[in-house]
Each structure stands twice: as C-alpha cells, then as structure tokens.
Amino acid sequence: MKIGKEFNIFLFSIKLLLKRKSSYYIFLILMVLVFFIASASFITASIKKELILTHEELPDIVIQRVIGGRQQYIPMDYIDKIVSIPGIKSILPRVWGYYYFDYSGVNFSIVGIDPLEPFYKKSLEENIKHIKTDDLIKRDDWMILGNGVRRLFSEIGYVDYAYFKKPNGEYIKLRRFDYLTQESAIFTNDIILISQNTARKLLGMDDDYVSDIVVNVYNKNEVVTIAAKIRDILKDARTVTKKDVLNSYQNVFNYKLGFFITLFGVLIFTMMVIVIDKLGGLSETEKLEIGVLKATGWTTSDVLRLKFYESSFLVLQAFIIGVLLAVIYVYILKAPIMMNIFSGYASLKTEYQLIFAVDFKTLFLIFIAIVPFYIAAIIIPTYRIATLDTYEVFK
Amino acid sequence: MIEIRHLTKIYDDKIVLQNINLDINNGDFVVIMGPSGSGKSTFLSIISGLSRPTEGSVCYDDINISKLPESDVGKFRNSKIGFVFQKFNLMENLTVYENILPPVIIAEKKITKKDIFELLKRFEIDNLSDVKVKRLSGGEQQRVALARALVNDPELLIADEPTANLDYRLKNEVIDTFKKIHYQGKTIIVATHDRVFTEIEGARIINMINGKIAEMV
Ligand SMILES: Nc1ncnc2c1ncn2[C@@H]1O[C@H](COP(=O)(O)OP(=O)(O)OP(=O)(O)O)[C@@H](O)[C@H]1O
Ligand SMILES: [Mg+2]
C-alpha cells in the first residue's frame, strides 16, 4: 500500500462526502443525538462524583426537633440527655439555617461555626489554604463565602463587607475573611460561614439553642438502634440517618435513569432508521460514484477503503463534535434547561458548579452504538454494488 | 492487438451477443454501427472489462481479461483503456478538475497537476476547471468525459455514442478530436448511430445486428 495513493483516496473520499447534501443531514442527526446523551451522561457523572465526595462528610445521624410538622430549634440540654448512650463517638450541635437575601431573591445557607471546636477547625483547615483560625476567635464579625455567594456579592458591590438583616430589622455588617475552594461545589456554593454568635443573631435563636445535632457512632451497624434510642429519650426528636439521605438521592437517580433509557432508545431507533435506509440501497449519486470509480480502474478494495474513510470521517466527526459541544454545554454553560430536569433534589441551591467528571463507560457505549453501525451501514451496500458487473451499476 | 473469440453474452435467457470473433490491431479505428438494442454497448463493456462474457474470451496480446481477477482487470483498465460512456457518467457535484481525478489517484505512474491542466487545455476546458460539472453544457461535459478517459494516456480509447448529445458543430469538433487521437497512434473503438464516423479515413466499419457482427469491406 502506497501512502501517497492512500492519502489521495482519503482526500477524494472527503471531497465526495462534502459535496453530498445528505451527508450534512446525517451528520447533524448523529451529532445532536451524541450531544444529548453525552450531556445527560456528564451531568449524571458530575452529580455522582459530587455525592461520592460529600458522602464521607455526611453524619451518621442528624437529630431534628419537629413539632406539628415544623422544625424547631433544639435546647442545648438535649445533648446532656443522650451523651450516655453507648456507641456514640461524637456529638456536634449545629447552628445553621437559610437566610433569604431579598436583594437577589435567593436563599443562602448560613452556617455558624465555632473555630475552637476541633471538628470545625479541621474542616476549615482542609478547605481553605493558609487559614489562620486563631484570627477568627478574636472577633465575631467575619464571614467566609462559598463561590456562588462570592460571585453574587461581587455583582452588587459587596466585596469586603456585606450587610445582613436581623429578624428585628436591624442590620449587621460582616467583613469578608476568606473564600471556600471549588471542589464539591453543590454543598459549598451557596454557603456563608459565620461565627455561631452571629448566626444565632441572624436566625433569631436564643443562646442555649441549636438548629440540629449531629451524631457519629463507632459501629455503623448500630446506627439504627442508636437512632431508635435517641428517639426514645427525646420524645419530640426526629432522626435522619446517612442512609435516609442517600436513599433520597437514589430516588433522583432512578428518575434520571429513566430519562437516560429514553434517550438511548431514541438513539438506537434513529440508528436503526439510518442503517435500514442505507441497507436498502445507497443513493443514486453514491451508486454512480462507485460505478465511475470502478470504471476508471478502482478495485473493490479501493472503493471499500474510500467508503470506509468517508463514513468513519463523518461519524467520528459527529461523535467528537457532539461530545465537545456537550462538554461546553454542561461545564461552561452549566447545562441550562437540562439541569432543571436533573436538579430536583436541591431546588434551594442558588447555582451549580458542575464538577468535571467524565463517564467513559457511557461515552464508550454511545460510541459503540453509533460508530461501527454507521460504518457497516455504508460498507455493506457499497460492497454489494462494487462487486456487481460495473456496467450494470449504470443501468 | 485484441483478439475476441467466441464472445457470447446471455442475460437470463436473452442472447445479446452471439459468438463474436474479431481481431483489432494496434492503431485501428473501429466504428461499430447498428440499430438500437443490437448489443453495441454490451460489446464495448465486455471488451473493456466492465462486465464479463457468458462465454468466450477477450485477449490483449497475451492477457485474457475475461479470466483475470477483478482487481487485475481494474489495474489493466486504469493504465490501458480509456472509456467514454454514452451518458458521460460524470460526478455532477464535483468540479471539472475533480472529475478527472479518479483514474489519476490509483494510477501506477505519476500524473501531475500540470499534466492534467495540459490535457484540459487541449480540450479547451482549462478555464472551467473549478466549475461544477452540472453547470456545464452537453458539449463541455462530453469533453470532460474524454479528458477523464485519456488522462492516464491509455493505448485504447473506447467510446459509446460519443456524439449522441451534441449539435452539428460540436459533433464535428468531437470527430476531429478522435481523428487527432487516432493520428497520435492510439487504437479507437466507437459505437455509434452516426454515419459521419463511417467517412473517417481508414476507419473499419463493423455492423452489429442482433448480437452478431459483419465487417464492411
Ligand atoms: N442486464 C440486462 N438484462 C437483460 N437484458 C439486458 C441487460 N442489459 C442489456 N440488455 C439487453 O441487451 C440488448 C442490447 O443492449 P445494448 O445496450 O448493448 O444495445 P445497444 O446496441 O447499445 O443499443 P443503443 O443503441 O440503444 O444504445 C438490449 O435488448 C437490452 O435490452
Ligand atoms: Mg448503447
């Protein structure tokens, strides 16, 4: 095989391809299909990665106080009542809630943290480089912003300071201390970390109250028993285990899976239509092309290689561009419209930062469902025509 | 030298060519005349290796192309035979230049862009090289088809009704071209209804009727 000749066959195949109108329709159909499925796969993969990242951080049990179906603040002395339950590793009271920022019409999560508490200290140091937690102890008017909050604030000129309204209508001014890093964005994007004192003020909470209590246990098998004991002691308490939370995510995933299967169905169907159409015979133009090539001395193998280059060029191009568009759509444009279908589980959140995660298995599946089938759908009828008496092709 | 022996072509149970024997010498100008449906096109397709005979053989010197494997027939045709179809069979969406390329791409010998343009110039279509073939007139298309047939400088030119779609003036042009090609020493076989070809000096006139031939002397 001569390289020069092979390259010229390739160039000529592209020429033929580009001058045939139907190429563009097929290209467009394939590309759009790849785009949709790849986008769906990217979003799923990204949320999955998000969950895996945050899975570790989820506490074993969260204790909430619910009266009349409404969540209430919990008195601190609840902690004393449960410390003696055997098997509990740690108990952490949390002060947090949603703060409605009327200027932008969105909810932020404000989380009050105690920099002296080892748990908070450790997680601050993990999430923010070079942070000096000691500086946080000296004062109360600091805030640490999640990325989404930071962006929203800077849009309205809140760079170094921000004003927050207390339930009684008074404002307090907080100084920006730092930012949270990008990773694991869904859970940090809309967050504002402040001191517990400030948080209580903004949430209208008395000093000896907290929002909920987080419990971690030594033995994961005992979670259910310990949760039951807690409910037994604290009559108005509700417990939410890690498993409960993951289950609710699972539901969202099942929903997504259905969406996915539907998309894949559309893909397979379209491919079948194209394949059947092509197997039914190539277009008159394509037949004549093959006849001319044969008549001027091309062997069947030359013609098959030309059609192979032609069809793989088209289908690979459609695949690659479809995937690239999906990358742009999901990770740069943040998947408008499609994200609404997928998000469901966190409508409170201001904005997503989809983490870059590629599901190679699904990409490979799309590749398999499209590329070899399309090439075969071209090569098989080409072979049938190329092996005919050349003279017959023109009749 | 082409030796055609006992050539027979049968479609289903219709005998289209019947036991044809003919010798064609290098430099001959063979004109095959005959009514429509008599088998002229079928005959040309078999002697050029575009289809295979039901029986009999076509030998170029020592090579029997009726028995050659398909890929070798292709190579043989590519270097030795130029074929002009009755309906031109050009790739309509491609330009004139691109239409000349198929025989060139797979040719054993090197044919440069310059060679192609010289050929286009000879047929006065070099200024149309970038024009899509479907925009051309019938006469221009005919010349593109001829250029494609001749680009690899074959020894034999076979043409099926080369003047069928042309007006009087173009017809004479094409005939002049054939004469010139013949004068350069090439062998030519033409199937035609056109009596004008019979007036060409030195032409061998062969009549075909119902798949049989008779040479006029
Ligand atoms: N594939 C085929 N199956 C059956 N019959 C065929 C086939 N191809 C050609 N024929 C028949 O063979 C006969 C000769 O056809 P051919 O095209 O060779 O004639 P021709 O002399 O070139 O006619 P024209 O002058 O109209 O071009 C015709 O009767 C035609 O119907
Ligand atoms: Mg004919």
Side-chain angles (χ1 to χ4, degrees):
Chain A
M1 194 161 76
K2 287 189 222 142
I3 306 282
K5 170 184 162 186
E6 211 54 31
F7 185 63
N8 284 332
I9 291 180
F10 171 75
L11 286 185
F12 199 68
S13 77
I14 306 305
K15 236 171 227 159
L16 289 176
L17 182 73
L18 296 182
K19 301 235 168 151
R20 228 181 288 122
K21 235 188 218 143
S22 63
S23 312
Y24 295 90
Y25 298 128
I26 293 173
F27 173 80
L28 219 70
I29 292 171
L30 293 180
M31 191 194 70
V32 167
L33 274 171
V34 170
F35 167 77
F36 271 116
I37 301 185
S39 297
S41 124
F42 287 156
I43 294 173
T44 317
S46 160
I47 294 175
K48 225 184 214 158
K49 187 173 173 197
E50 185 82 60
L51 287 185
I52 290 166
L53 283 177
T54 48
H55 175 92
E56 314 260 291
E57 297 165 15
L58 284 176
D60 292 330
I61 303 169
V62 176
I63 304 172
Q64 298 170 341
R65 184 176 173 222
V66 178
I67 298 172
R70 313 195 72 215
Q71 208 177 319
Q72 310 282 325
Y73 295 142
I74 305 180
M76 284 280 238
D77 58 18
Y78 272 36
I79 297 174
D80 303 332
K81 295 181 191 167
I82 58 168
V83 276
S84 55
I85 296 177
I88 290 183
K89 186 168 134 196
S90 66
I91 299 178
L92 182 71
R94 296 198 300 195
V95 178
W96 70 281
Y98 296 116
Y99 177 84
Y100 182 69
F101 193 61
D102 38 12
Y103 196 93
S104 302
V106 289
N107 275 310
F108 296 132
S109 309
I110 49 177
V111 177
I113 62 172
D114 177 357
L116 285 175
E117 168 75 46
F119 169 80
Y120 287 127
K121 195 169 148 69
K122 185 168 157 261
S123 100
L124 276 177
E125 281 163 358
E126 273 170 8
N127 277 294
I128 307 171
K129 275 179 222 149
H130 322 297
I131 191 168
K132 294 193 194 81
T133 40
D134 294 342
D135 292 353
L136 295 177
I137 303 160
K138 294 176 199 152
R139 46 196 317 143
D140 260 349
D141 64 342
W142 50 267
M143 58 181 182
I144 296 172
L145 308 179
N147 239 300
V149 184
R150 173 191 181 177
R151 220 170 318 124
L152 234 148
F153 273 13
S154 68
E155 272 166 27
I156 56 168
Y158 280 3
V159 180
D160 291 323
Y161 296 95
Y163 290 92
F164 292 84
K165 198 173 164 185
K166 292 199 288 186
N168 66 8
E170 287 170 23
Y171 281 90
I172 44 177
K173 178 180 171 186
L174 298 179
R175 292 203 310 182
R176 177 186 54 78
F177 186 77
D178 222 320
Y179 306 115
L180 290 172
T181 44
Q182 290 267 15
E183 274 287 277
S184 187
I186 285 187
F187 288 86
T188 56
N189 207 28
D190 73 325
I191 240 174
I192 306 174
L193 303 180
I194 52 181
S195 73
Q196 286 196 342
N197 282 337
T198 318
R200 284 205 175 87
K201 278 183 204 150
L202 291 180
L203 297 170
M205 188 189 289
D206 287 336
D207 273 355
D208 43 0
Y209 278 80
V210 294
S211 312
D212 55 20
I213 299 168
V214 160
V215 176
N216 280 304
V217 304
Y218 284 110
N219 182 349
K220 304 298 168 197
N221 295 325
E222 287 177 4
V223 169
V224 179
T225 344
I226 292 172
K229 266 184 200 155
I230 292 171
R231 286 196 305 273
D232 203 39
I233 297 167
L234 309 174
K235 298 297 176 195
D236 56 1
R238 184 175 79 174
T239 55
V240 180
T241 64
K242 193 187 225 171
K243 209 173 161 211
D244 295 334
V245 177
L246 291 178
N247 276 348
S248 68
Y249 288 146
Q250 198 58 50
N251 288 340
V252 181
F253 264 118
N254 289 342
Y255 169 56
K256 260 176 254 150
L257 201 67
F259 182 72
F260 226 174
I261 289 170
T262 316
L263 265 183
F264 233 94
V266 173
L267 171 75
I268 302 282
F269 178 76
T270 314
M271 277 318 287
M272 266 171 43
V273 171
I274 293 176
V275 167
I276 289 170
D277 176 61
K278 287 288 178 185
L279 286 182
L282 299 174
S283 69
E284 287 306 312
T285 323
E286 282 174 286
K287 271 190 207 161
L288 183 113
E289 285 165 7
I290 295 170
V292 168
L293 296 177
K294 294 275 321 217
T296 55
W298 291 49
T299 63
T300 303
S301 148
D302 291 336
V303 174
L304 287 178
R305 290 201 316 280
L306 171 115
K307 290 304 252 186
F308 175 78
Y309 298 144
E310 195 188 291
S311 53
S312 32
F313 184 80
L314 183 145
V315 73
L316 284 178
Q317 198 103 323
F319 181 80
I320 293 168
I321 294 180
V323 169
L324 284 182
L325 285 181
V327 169
I328 293 172
Y329 172 73
V330 173
Y331 295 116
I332 297 177
L333 301 178
K334 291 166 197 157
I337 300 172
M338 211 189 264
M339 198 57 197
N340 295 342
I341 302 172
F342 275 79
S343 62
Y345 79 98
S347 42
L348 279 168
K349 304 288 166 180
T350 47
E351 201 183 322
Y352 294 100
Q353 196 74 41
L354 289 157
I355 321 181
F356 192 80
V358 178
D359 177 4
F360 286 103
K361 233 201 274 167
T362 314
L363 278 187
F364 183 70
L365 265 178
I366 306 170
F367 184 89
I368 290 295
I370 289 185
V371 176
F373 277 97
Y374 182 76
I375 293 175
I378 299 293
I379 292 296
I380 292 168
T382 300
Y383 180 80
R384 282 206 302 241
I385 292 173
T387 47
L388 280 179
D389 254 12
T390 307
Y391 185 61
E392 297 293 310
V393 178
F394 295 118
K395 286 191 181 164
Chain B
M1 167 87 163
I2 311 169
E3 284 180 0
I4 298 154
R5 293 288 175 270
H6 309 296
L7 192 69
T8 299
K9 180 73 176 179
I10 302 171
Y11 284 116
D12 303 321
D13 44 27
K14 185 173 179 206
I15 302 173
V16 178
L17 298 175
Q18 203 175 339
N19 193 25
I20 292 177
N21 292 286
L22 184 69
D23 286 348
I24 296 168
N25 295 309
N26 292 344
D28 275 0
F29 195 134
V30 178
V31 177
I32 301 170
M33 306 279 298
S36 191
S38 56
K40 303 182 296 293
S41 296
T42 310
F43 181 63
L44 294 188
S45 78
I46 292 174
I47 57 175
S48 60
L50 288 173
S51 65
R52 292 193 188 266
T54 314
E55 265 171 51
S57 60
V58 178
C59 294
Y60 286 77
D61 298 322
D62 292 329
I63 304 164
N64 180 353
I65 66 155
S66 313
K67 288 279 178 337
L68 231 48
E70 185 258 4
S71 59
D72 292 347
V73 180
K75 279 189 194 121
F76 185 84
R77 189 166 48 238
N78 180 257
S79 60
K80 299 273 195 305
I81 307 173
F83 198 102
V84 181
F85 291 90
Q86 198 164 345
K87 287 180 289 179
F88 308 152
N89 290 332
L90 296 169
M91 298 175 177
E92 300 240 299
N93 289 321
L94 266 53
T95 64
V96 168
Y97 180 79
E98 287 162 349
N99 262 280
I100 313 292
L101 288 178
V104 174
I105 289 171
I106 53 149
E108 294 285 336
K109 62 184 165 208
K110 183 136 179 66
I111 288 145
T112 61
K113 199 166 178 168
K114 194 168 149 255
D115 296 334
I116 296 175
F117 268 90
E118 254 161 39
L119 184 68
L120 294 181
K121 201 164 199 162
R122 229 172 89 196
F123 290 108
E124 292 169 24
I125 43 175
D126 51 326
N127 56 332
L128 299 173
S129 66
D130 287 335
V131 180
K132 276 189 185 176
V133 158
K134 67 176 167 201
R135 310 236 178 281
L136 301 185
S137 72
E140 287 161 344
Q141 291 190 1
Q142 172 71 285
R143 282 179 275 163
V144 177
L146 256 172
R148 184 178 67 190
L150 293 172
V151 67
N152 284 358
D153 197 25
E155 292 153 23
L156 171 64
L157 175 66
I158 300 178
D160 197 355
E161 311 271 8
T163 53
N165 303 290
L166 307 179
D167 67 16
Y168 179 76
R169 192 183 64 84
L170 286 171
K171 205 185 274 187
N172 282 327
E173 248 176 52
V174 167
I175 289 169
D176 281 345
T177 310
F178 274 85
K179 280 184 191 161
K180 264 187 226 158
I181 296 165
H182 182 227
Y183 183 74
Q184 287 161 3
K186 300 210 187 293
T187 312
I188 296 179
I189 306 173
V190 172
T192 184
H193 292 282
D194 206 326
R195 294 242 136 244
V196 191
F197 275 97
T198 62
E199 288 151 21
I200 292 175
E201 223 185 86
R204 284 173 67 187
I205 316 298
I206 290 170
N207 267 322
M208 181 169 278
I209 296 163
N210 286 331
K212 289 186 194 160
I213 59 164
E215 182 155 4
M216 314 268 286
V217 198

